[in-house]
């Protein structure tokens, strides 16, 4: 049986259901725009599996808790709450949305709440019905359209770079990258080769005698932004990829490109070899391996300090915990909610294991002044197993070729001993 097409699914919906799907779709797109707009904030935001959930209704008097954004949008379409359950059920049966009932804290206390999340099929169906096209997403490692346009201007400027000061009225194509653009292009230390641009303080104009210190020559200074060697290499490596991705940006193509320069976006389609982990589980495995090599577990140091602060020696069981990552720290290494499970349930044997942290190992002070817990009650240590070490050592070369932007440490020779094929 062929899979139903989004346009056909849209045609099957009655007008009321189409309005509901449209309103939920707009709420989903607004949430996505907010997440992208918050990329300048410090740290990483929550994963999409969390922020795509939108509050549909709160089961409390509207005079007290008001209407949700979705309810307000439905009211503007002359749709009211009567029959909302049947419309949501119809969309849910077609796998266009997910629905979840939970509770939320309000001035009335905990009250029931209904939340909805658009599925991938639901998003495609709404786009088909509204005539929208899915936005382009650059492959991993490539810049957004906005950052690429900034990099092109710097490439055109050549070795002299561009002044960071652009007077009012300067044409866009002659304007230096903004502070926000330089923030991303200069400070992305994770990019292989280092930042793509750099800002330097340089002398401006001819020297002159200081009026305050006769006989002393001084210079005026200003700031200019330059393309780094890494930035020039990135430009020449991917300029033909960007020409496909953002054709409206007029980027000059050098005559002499590197031999390994990409010819098209197809060069970014790297197929993961069979038997390797996906990106997120591999990133978590790398973090576990790095902590294992360094014999590092943050609570062994932090909690021991708390124990000594309160006049007691830390329990031997605390100091004996294996090196690894506590479960509440996993989100720092990957935004995936399933990465740990992929390691624990790897088909040829667990690549990681969990060790329980018993309550008598917790520091003496466990509560804030308001009675809330300082340390979660369900902490565990996720650590690499012997099978995980062997898997990492045997496949490290293949992993580096597949995920060349992930900095994976070398494996010790002891880990490279022969083991059964996976």
């Amino acid at each position: 049986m062929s899979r139903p097409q989004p346009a056909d699914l849209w045609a099957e919906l009655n007008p009321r259901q189409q309005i509901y799907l449209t309103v939920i779709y707009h709420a989903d797109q607004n949430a996505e725009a907010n997440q992208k707009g918050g990329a300048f904030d410090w740290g990483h935001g929550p994963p999409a599996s969390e922020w795509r959930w939108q509050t549909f209704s709160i089961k409390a008097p509207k005079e007290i808790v008001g209407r949700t954004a979705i309810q307000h949008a439905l009211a503007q379409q002359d749709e009211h709450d009567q029959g909302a359950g049947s419309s949501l059920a119809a969309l849910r049966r077609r796998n266009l949305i997910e629905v979840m009932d939970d509770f939320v804290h309000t001035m009335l206390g905990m009250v029931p709440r209904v939340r909805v999340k658009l599925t991938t099929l639901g998003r495609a169906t709404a786009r088909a019905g509204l005539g929208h096209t899915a936005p382009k997403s650059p492959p991993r490692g490539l810049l957004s359209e906005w950052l690429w346009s900034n990099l092109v201007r710097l490439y055109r400027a050549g070795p002299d770079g561009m002044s960071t000061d652009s007077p009012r009225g300067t044409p866009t194509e002659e304007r230096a990258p903004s502070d926000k653009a330089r923030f991303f292009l200069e400070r992305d230390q994770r990019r292989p080769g280092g930042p793509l641009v750099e800002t330097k303080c340089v002398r401006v104009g001819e020297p002159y005698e200081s009026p305050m210190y006769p006989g002393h020559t001084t210079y005026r200074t200003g700031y200019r932004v330059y393309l780094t060697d890494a930035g020039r290499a990135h430009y020449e490596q991917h300029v033909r990829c960007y020409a496909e991705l953002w054709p409206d940006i007029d980027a000059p193509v050098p005559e002499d490109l590197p031999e390994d320069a990409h010819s098209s976006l197809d060069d970014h389609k790297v197929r993961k070899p069979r038997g390797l982990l996906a990106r997120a589980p591999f990133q978590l495995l790398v973090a576990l391996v790095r902590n294992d090599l360094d014999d590092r577990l943050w609570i062994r140091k932090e909690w021991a300090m708390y124990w000594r602060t309160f006049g007691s020696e830390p329990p031997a069981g605390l100091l004996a915990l294996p090196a690894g990552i506590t479960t509440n720290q996993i989100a720092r290494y990957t935004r995936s909610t399933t990465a740990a499970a992929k390691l624990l349930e790897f088909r040829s044997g667990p690549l990681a294991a969990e060790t329980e942290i018993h309550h008598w190992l917790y520091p003496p002070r466990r509560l804030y002044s308001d009675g809330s817990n300082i340390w979660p009650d369900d902490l565990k240590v996720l650590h690499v197993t012997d099978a995980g070490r062997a898997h990492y050592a045997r496949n490290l070369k293949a992993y580096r070729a597949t995920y060349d932007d992930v900095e994976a440490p070398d494996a010790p020779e002891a880990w490279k001993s022969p083991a059964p094929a996976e």
Side-chain angles (χ1 to χ4, degrees), residues 42-271:
W42 298 108
H44 295 291
S49 58
E50 294 180 11
W51 58 257
R52 285 202 184 276
W53 282 104
Q54 306 296 314
T55 300
F56 181 84
S57 64
I58 297 175
K59 298 180 180 180
K62 302 296 185 296
E63 297 78 10
I64 299 178
V65 300
R67 289 181 177 270
T68 66
I70 292 179
Q71 286 177 318
H72 179 71
L74 287 173
Q76 289 184 321
Q77 297 284 337
D78 292 328
E79 292 290 345
H80 303 286
D81 294 340
Q82 293 84 0
S86 61
S87 297
L88 293 182
L91 298 178
R92 188 177 189 178
R93 283 196 305 271
R94 293 174 171 84
N95 194 31
L96 302 180
I97 64 170
E98 297 178 28
V99 182
M100 178 171 61
D101 295 304
D102 61 4
F103 291 85
V104 63
H105 185 76
T106 69
M107 63 183 68
L108 300 176
M110 300 298 290
V111 298
R113 173 177 63 173
V114 177
R115 293 200 292 167
V116 294
K117 183 171 73 169
L118 207 61
T119 64
T120 302
L121 180 59
R123 198 171 297 109
T125 301
R127 284 177 176 147
L130 299 173
H132 293 183
T133 57
K136 291 182 179 179
S137 295
R140 187 178 295 274
L142 296 189
L143 301 172
S144 67
E145 183 177 13
W146 167 61
L147 288 178
W148 171 242
S149 65
N150 281 272
L151 201 71
V152 169
R153 293 203 298 273
L154 280 176
Y155 187 84
R156 287 182 177 278
D160 292 336
M162 304 178 74
S163 173
T164 57
D165 295 326
S166 299
R168 185 182 297 274
T170 303
T172 302
E173 61 273 10
E174 300 176 9
R175 192 173 300 162
S178 64
D179 292 343
K180 185 174 180 179
R182 296 204 309 274
F183 177 90
F184 290 111
L185 295 172
E186 283 184 339
R187 305 188 184 187
D188 190 355
Q189 303 296 336
R190 300 165 297 175
R191 185 176 294 278
L196 303 181
V197 306
E198 61 181 345
T199 303
K200 297 180 181 179
C201 181
V202 297
R203 293 175 179 176
V204 179
E206 298 296 328
Y208 64 96
E209 183 176 335
S210 172
M212 297 183 62
Y213 302 97
H216 290 270
T217 300
T218 187
Y219 297 84
R220 293 184 176 88
T221 60
Y223 288 91
R224 297 186 71 83
V225 57
Y226 302 87
L227 205 62
T228 63
D229 290 341
R232 184 170 297 276
H234 178 87
Y235 182 99
E236 295 175 350
Q237 177 80 9
H238 301 290
V239 61
R240 290 182 291 202
C241 302
Y242 285 114
E244 288 186 28
L245 196 60
W246 317 121
D248 293 337
I249 298 177
D250 184 16
V253 179
E255 293 184 1
D256 298 324
L257 289 174
E259 292 183 1
D260 60 345
H262 289 187
S263 59
S264 68
L265 287 173
D266 291 338
D267 292 333
H268 287 268
K269 296 177 181 178
V270 179
R271 180 170 295 180

Side-chain angles (χ1 to χ4, degrees), residues 219-354:
Y219 297 84
R220 293 184 176 88
T221 60
Y223 288 91
R224 297 186 71 83
V225 57
Y226 302 87
L227 205 62
T228 63
D229 290 341
R232 184 170 297 276
H234 178 87
Y235 182 99
E236 295 175 350
Q237 177 80 9
H238 301 290
V239 61
R240 290 182 291 202
C241 302
Y242 285 114
E244 288 186 28
L245 196 60
W246 317 121
D248 293 337
I249 298 177
D250 184 16
V253 179
E255 293 184 1
D256 298 324
L257 289 174
E259 292 183 1
D260 60 345
H262 289 187
S263 59
S264 68
L265 287 173
D266 291 338
D267 292 333
H268 287 268
K269 296 177 181 178
V270 179
R271 180 170 295 180
K272 179 177 67 66
R274 186 177 181 86
L276 297 190
L277 294 164
R279 174 178 291 273
F282 175 62
Q283 288 176 315
L284 183 56
L285 179 62
V286 167
L288 294 178
V289 165
R290 186 173 285 113
N291 279 16
D292 187 70
L293 293 173
D294 297 339
D295 191 26
R296 185 168 63 234
L297 176 67
W298 73 274
I299 61 172
R300 289 198 310 219
K301 176 181 178 181
E302 297 296 326
W303 287 11
M305 178 181 64
Y306 269 82
W307 276 95
R308 295 188 178 101
T309 299
F310 285 88
S312 302
E313 282 300 311
L318 173 62
L319 303 180
L321 288 172
I325 300 172
T326 51
T327 48
N328 67 328
Q329 296 287 303
I330 291 176
R332 294 180 56 187
Y333 302 95
T334 172
R335 300 174 68 185
S336 169
T337 57
T338 61
K342 298 295 184 182
L343 299 182
L344 295 170
E345 302 168 4
F346 196 66
R347 55 185 170 276
S348 62
L351 303 183
E354 287 183 334

